[in-house]
Amino acid sequence: MNLLLLTPDDLVTPDRACIHDSRRLRHFHEIHKASPGEELTVGMTGEGIGRARLIELEKERALFEILHLDTPPPPALPVHLLLALPRPRMLARSLENIATMGVKRLTLLHTARVEKSYWQSPELQPERIEAHLRLGLEQARDTVLPVVDLQPRFKPFIEDQLPAALTGHRALLAHPGIGESCPRGLPMDQPVTLAIGPEGGFIPYEVERLQTMGFEGIHLGPRILRVETAVVSLLSRLF
């Protein structure tokens, strides 16, 4: 935890916050080994980053004095990520990585090689998704939660919703063996929509449909990567 990410519910007064949840308390007791009087980096969800002083640390609560929150969060990546829904265990890691990298718009998409049972996973509950995103933000010292939407039907999404979302965007389709090598260092003022398939890749029909809509094929070479590795590798090269 490189940042104590607070929510408005944590505030007891405008300049004091109290946390009660076991995850954050366990970190301060077991990892940080904090003591009253110490200062630490904090952020308010959706707002600024600053410093706070630990006033009390007990088994079931920690009380902080917020000193200031005057530093803006790091800039977001100008990308809308379309990600074929990963396996539940991989989804958790992917969400954390996506938040850490600075993605602020994520669509989890059904494709032919995504098992339908994945859509029944408890990991897709809003509170579970937010919990993983918060872990990623804490790692990166960020405060702005990504917006996540679920699209369990491929064809209606790309026909009815995606065209409008592509307006003004450069559309890139990451798929082994097609197109050019992944570009590097794209300008931060150019919005991008990046589509990443499951580990088995998109099926030919899906590739054709996306390319018809203007997606440029890109790849990372001959190796087939796990989804969470591909996400980080692509975002790191693109931006």
Side-chain angles (χ1 to χ4, degrees), residues 85-128:
L85 182 65
R87 297 193 309 271
R89 183 178 298 178
M90 190 176 295
L91 172 62
R93 296 194 297 267
S94 297
L95 288 171
E96 292 174 24
N97 289 340
I98 286 164
T100 296
M101 295 297 292
V103 173
K104 299 304 177 188
R105 188 178 179 193
L106 168 66
T107 296
L108 294 172
L109 180 64
H110 186 74
T111 68
R113 293 191 172 119
V114 171
E115 293 187 21
K116 292 182 179 179
S117 62
Y118 293 174
W119 291 98
Q120 309 304 316
S121 169
E123 293 295 339
L124 289 177
Q125 295 298 315
E127 62 273 14
R128 297 286 286 272

Side-chain angles (χ1 to χ4, degrees), residues 105-162:
R105 188 178 179 193
L106 168 66
T107 296
L108 294 172
L109 180 64
H110 186 74
T111 68
R113 293 191 172 119
V114 171
E115 293 187 21
K116 292 182 179 179
S117 62
Y118 293 174
W119 291 98
Q120 309 304 316
S121 169
E123 293 295 339
L124 289 177
Q125 295 298 315
E127 62 273 14
R128 297 286 286 272
I129 289 176
E130 182 172 327
H132 292 302
L133 295 176
R134 286 185 173 277
L135 287 173
L137 294 182
E138 290 172 351
Q139 173 65 37
R141 289 191 174 181
D142 195 353
T143 63
V144 181
L145 283 163
V147 175
V148 180
D149 68 293
L150 310 181
Q151 296 293 339
R153 300 176 65 199
F154 178 83
K155 187 175 179 181
F157 171 69
I158 67 167
E159 290 181 350
D160 301 334
Q161 299 184 47
L162 187 55

Side-chain angles (χ1 to χ4, degrees), residues 4-8 10-11 17 19 24 42-45 66 134:
L4 172 60
L5 184 58
L6 301 170
T7 73
D10 293 323
L11 295 178
I19 63 172
R24 290 183 292 178
V42 299
M44 178 58 68
T45 302
I66 300 173
R134 286 185 173 277

Side-chain angles (χ1 to χ4, degrees), residues 204-220:
Y205 164 79
E206 294 163 346
V207 171
E208 180 182 355
R209 290 301 306 271
L210 292 169
Q211 288 182 315
T212 299
M213 297 180 68
F215 279 79
E216 308 168 39
I218 61 171
H219 63 81
L220 288 170

Side-chain angles (χ1 to χ4, degrees), residues 77-79 101 103 170 172 174 178-188 192 194 196 217-223 225 229-239:
L77 295 185
V79 62
M101 295 297 292
V103 173
R170 181 177 179 182
L172 301 175
I178 68 167
E180 303 293 330
S181 179
C182 179
R184 296 177 182 269
L186 298 183
M188 291 292 286
V192 171
L194 173 64
I196 303 176
I218 61 171
H219 63 81
L220 288 170
R223 298 181 183 274
L225 305 178
T229 304
V231 168
V232 173
S233 299
L234 287 161
L235 293 174
S236 298
R237 287 183 61 161
L238 288 170
F239 303 105

Side-chain angles (χ1 to χ4, degrees), residues 24-66:
R24 290 183 292 178
L25 284 172
R26 184 168 57 252
H27 180 87
F28 285 108
H29 281 286
E30 300 177 7
I31 307 300
H32 190 74
K33 300 185 184 302
S35 300
E38 289 187 34
E39 291 188 12
L40 64 152
T41 301
V42 299
M44 178 58 68
T45 302
E47 300 181 23
I49 298 169
R51 301 288 286 177
R53 181 181 294 112
L54 179 61
I55 299 173
E56 298 176 7
L57 179 60
E58 301 174 356
K59 183 178 180 180
E60 296 182 351
R61 75 168 198 156
L63 181 64
F64 301 88
E65 177 189 8
I66 300 173

